[in-house]
Amino acid sequence: ETLQRIVSTLVNKNDEIHNFIDMLNHTISNVQINSSNAISELDEEFDGLYSVLHEMKGSMANTIQQEEARKIQALQDQLSQCSRALESSEELLELAVQSLDIKNPVELLEVENIDWIVTVASAFRLSLKPKVSDSMTHMMVDFALEKRMLQAVKFLPVPKAPEIDVAACLVADNCITISWRMPEEDSRIDHFVLEYRKTNFDGLPRLKGEQRWELVDYIKATQYTLSGLKFDTKYMNLRVQACNKAVAGEYSDPVTLETKAFVFSLDSTSSHLNLKVEDTYVEWDPTGGKGQEKIKGKENKNSNTASPKRSTNSPRALARGGRDRFAGESYTVLGDTAVESGQHYWEVRAQKDCKSYSVGVTYRNPGKFDQLGKTNSSWCIHINNWLQTTFSAKHNNKAKTLDIAVPDRIGVYCDFDGGQLSFYNASSKALLHTFRTKFTQPLLPGFMIWCGGLTVSTGLQVPSAVKTLQKSENGLGGSTSSLNNVA
């Protein structure tokens, strides 16, 4: 026995080392890939910077050219004015010179207004100062500060890995709330990225046999809630990374949170032939499944080896216990996984046109003609929509009418150890009925249907509202029904 333990320990250690070697090789490959990506991103950043500088240079050069054109136009306009004034002044000068040669008083009187003409001449109203200067110093640039800034450009500091606060993480109502903090204050953090994946392995994540990571991006706070999850595995791996505007940091150390819930499928191998079963959906089939049965018969005849799924050593096969198919008016299908301890919860939704159906539990080996609620080893609630709607709780062939509306979804809560089976309105969590007894054998979820279909939701935790109602109900000292079989 000691040697066997040693061998088992060595095998486990070898598996861990192999897994770690695979992880190291994977990390080396990622380093090479990420380095190439970093160089490509660096090229893109510098190309972008060159593009911005080139665009700025063109824009500023265009501004200088516009200023040049404005000044030249202003000076040319002034030059034109001066040319016209000079031409007018020369004409006046010639007239004045000619007037000096006039000797006849009568002719001289004709040019007596020449002084007024000279006074109002444009040459005397013209400003002989350039309207604009030839200086272009106001269009000069100084990139000294920018050069110093560019010379100071370094790799943006990579954000440190966040630290997940396991004590503040919460798993409830098929939701996971995860909280984390930064090891030190970092004002450059822009957002966080959360990754999670389902797993059946406790401890560190593995490269092989793991599902891919699911990603939630652009989280601004240091807490996030994943909601609406189906807990069909034992655990959930979670990790967080911080990101600034340019780069993402390393992931936090992953944490593994337990996501335990009751998961089962419908057992098609022993369901009534008038039922069509697919995983978690069952539908009334008036053809009786004869065509499917013929096909299955041929497959069984042509097969020389047993299917692994039908292995009699599997837990689900043991739960079925090699039952015969339900027959007669027992239009029943059971779950393929037994409840043997603990508290469990699942939900059922019926089609709107469903005429009759029952939801409950039964011991492992009911008779093939047994109907839910008509034996002392099965408990259920029954809805009959034929002609008029009736809603009742059934056990040991006794029925109690429930004077409440039939909900769209029914929640089933089973406390095996506490001997309690309760039914709820799955939407409002209002209690519909409770059976109290002492369960002496493992229980299987049971469903009976006629004319319609049922969808079963599994992988659900016991809702917090149901837990609260259970505490309240148990604190009242037990409002038991006449149907409750107390052993």
Side-chain angles (χ1 to χ4, degrees):
E1 290 178 357
T2 302
L3 287 175
Q4 286 178 343
R5 287 196 298 270
I6 293 173
V7 169
S8 177
T9 302
L10 289 174
V11 169
N12 291 334
K13 179 57 66 175
N14 285 346
D15 288 342
E16 291 178 2
I17 294 174
H18 280 299
N19 182 56
F20 186 63
I21 289 174
D22 290 339
M23 185 176 292
L24 289 177
N25 288 328
H26 187 67
T27 303
I28 291 173
S29 176
N30 283 344
V31 167
Q32 296 171 336
I33 294 172
N34 292 335
S35 296
S36 299
N37 292 339
I39 292 175
S40 298
E41 292 176 359
L42 183 66
D43 290 339
E44 291 179 4
E45 290 293 333
F46 271 91
D47 289 343
L49 183 60
Y50 298 150
S51 176
V52 170
L53 290 174
H54 183 72
E55 184 178 348
M56 289 180 60
K57 178 183 177 182
S59 176
M60 298 178 77
N62 185 53
T63 302
I64 293 174
Q65 291 171 350
Q66 290 177 350
E67 179 69 3
E68 176 191 8
R70 185 187 70 81
K71 285 194 171 187
I72 290 176
Q73 184 64 45
L75 292 172
Q76 285 180 342
D77 291 343
Q78 195 173 15
L79 183 62
S80 297
Q81 291 176 0
C82 289
S83 297
R84 288 193 298 271
L86 181 60
E87 184 179 350
S88 175
S89 177
E90 289 177 348
E91 291 177 354
L92 288 173
L93 179 62
E94 184 179 354
L95 178 61
V97 170
Q98 291 176 358
S99 299
L100 290 175
D101 297 333
I102 296 175
K103 303 300 183 181
N104 189 338
V106 176
E107 293 179 358
L108 188 60
L109 290 173
E110 295 178 355
V111 294
E112 64 180 355
N113 293 328
I114 190 170
D115 58 339
W116 179 82
I117 295 174
V118 170
T119 301
V120 299
S122 59
F124 289 91
R125 292 182 289 107
L126 188 68
S127 173
L128 298 180
K129 180 181 179 181
K131 289 184 177 180
V132 295
S133 70
D134 60 354
S135 173
M136 295 293 286
T137 55
H138 64 291
M139 304 301 291
M140 302 301 291
V141 296
D142 180 11
F143 284 134
L145 176 62
E146 287 74 11
K147 286 180 180 178
R148 288 195 296 271
M149 291 175 62
L150 288 173
Q151 290 169 350
V153 169
K154 298 179 181 179
F155 291 109
L156 190 66
V158 178
K160 294 184 179 295
E163 298 173 353
I164 296 178
D165 185 1
V166 179
C169 295
L170 178 64
V171 180
D173 298 318
N174 284 82
C175 299
I176 294 179
T177 298
I178 180 171
S179 299
W180 60 89
R181 56 178 173 265
M182 295 300 296
E184 58 186 47
E185 187 70 23
D186 189 347
S187 61
R188 288 167 293 195
I189 299 298
D190 178 68
H191 65 275
F192 297 93
V193 176
L194 168 64
E195 289 192 347
Y196 65 96
R197 66 181 174 188
K198 298 177 180 180
T199 179
N200 282 314
F201 302 111
D202 188 9
L204 294 175
R206 306 183 180 191
L207 289 178
K208 296 180 179 179
E210 293 282 14
Q211 299 184 22
R212 65 181 183 86
W213 290 98
E214 300 289 340
L215 183 144
V216 180
D217 204 351
Y218 296 105
I219 301 173
K220 294 296 185 178
T222 56
Q223 179 175 295
Y224 190 81
T225 298
L226 296 166
S227 59
L229 301 172
K230 181 177 181 180
F231 290 161
D232 50 4
T233 58
K234 295 180 181 179
Y235 305 98
M236 186 85 79
N237 295 142
L238 301 105
R239 63 184 186 182
V240 182
Q241 68 176 165
C243 305
N244 53 34
K245 291 291 186 181
V247 64
E250 294 293 328
Y251 280 100
S252 65
D253 291 334
V255 298
T256 301
L257 301 179
E258 186 177 14
T259 55
K260 187 177 181 181
F262 185 46
V263 181
F264 65 89
S265 297
L266 299 178
D267 179 14
S268 61
T269 62
S270 59
S271 65
H272 195 285
L273 287 177
N274 281 100
L275 299 182
K276 182 181 179 181
V277 178
E278 295 180 4
D279 193 21
T280 55
Y281 177 74
V282 55
E283 183 178 13
W284 166 262
D285 182 9
T287 64
K290 294 178 181 178
Q292 296 181 10
E293 190 64 21
K294 289 180 180 179
I295 294 174
K296 290 180 180 179
K298 290 181 181 180
E299 290 177 351
N300 291 337
K301 289 180 180 179
N302 296 331
S303 176
N304 294 324
T305 59
S307 168
K309 292 183 180 180
R310 296 176 177 269
S311 172
T312 57
N313 293 326
S314 69
R316 292 186 174 182
L318 292 173
R320 292 193 294 267
R323 294 189 305 269
D324 294 331
R325 282 190 177 275
F326 288 100
E329 295 184 355
S330 180
Y331 305 115
T332 304
V333 60
L334 303 179
D336 61 3
T337 303
V339 174
E340 301 185 44
S341 63
Q343 302 175 15
H344 306 282
Y345 180 84
W346 60 94
E347 294 181 354
V348 182
R349 180 191 291 273
Q351 292 178 345
K352 291 185 177 180
D353 59 350
C354 192
K355 299 300 182 185
S356 177
Y357 62 96
S358 299
V359 179
V361 297
T362 180
Y363 286 155
R364 267 182 174 169
N365 295 304
K368 66 179 183 178
F369 296 105
D370 288 348
Q371 297 182 24
L372 290 177
K374 291 192 175 183
T375 66
N376 63 359
S377 60
S378 62
W379 300 258
C380 74
I381 57 174
H382 176 73
I383 295 90
N384 186 359
N385 290 321
W386 182 251
L387 299 180
Q388 64 179 7
T389 300
T390 60
F391 192 19
S392 58
K394 291 186 175 183
H395 169 63
N396 201 18
N397 206 25
K398 295 180 181 179
K400 178 183 178 181
T401 301
L402 303 178
D403 190 17
I404 47 180
V406 179
D408 292 334
R409 287 186 298 124
I410 297 174
V412 183
Y413 167 77
C414 180
D415 180 0
F416 186 90
D417 301 317
Q420 185 172 333
L421 178 68
S422 297
F423 298 88
Y424 290 87
N425 181 325
S427 300
S428 66
K429 300 301 183 290
L431 180 64
L432 304 176
H433 185 75
T434 295
F435 292 105
R436 297 181 186 277
T437 186
K438 180 179 180 180
F439 298 120
T440 59
Q441 299 180 37
L443 295 169
L444 289 172
F447 311 89
M448 193 166 69
I449 185 166
W450 178 68
C451 292
L454 292 177
T455 299
V456 183
S457 298
T458 71
L460 304 178
Q461 292 184 308
V462 179
S464 299
V466 170
K467 291 181 179 179
T468 302
L469 286 170
Q470 287 297 321
K471 291 180 181 179
S472 175
E473 183 184 1
N474 294 336
L476 293 176
S479 55
T480 60
S481 164
S482 60
L483 295 175
N484 295 339
N485 179 26
V486 181

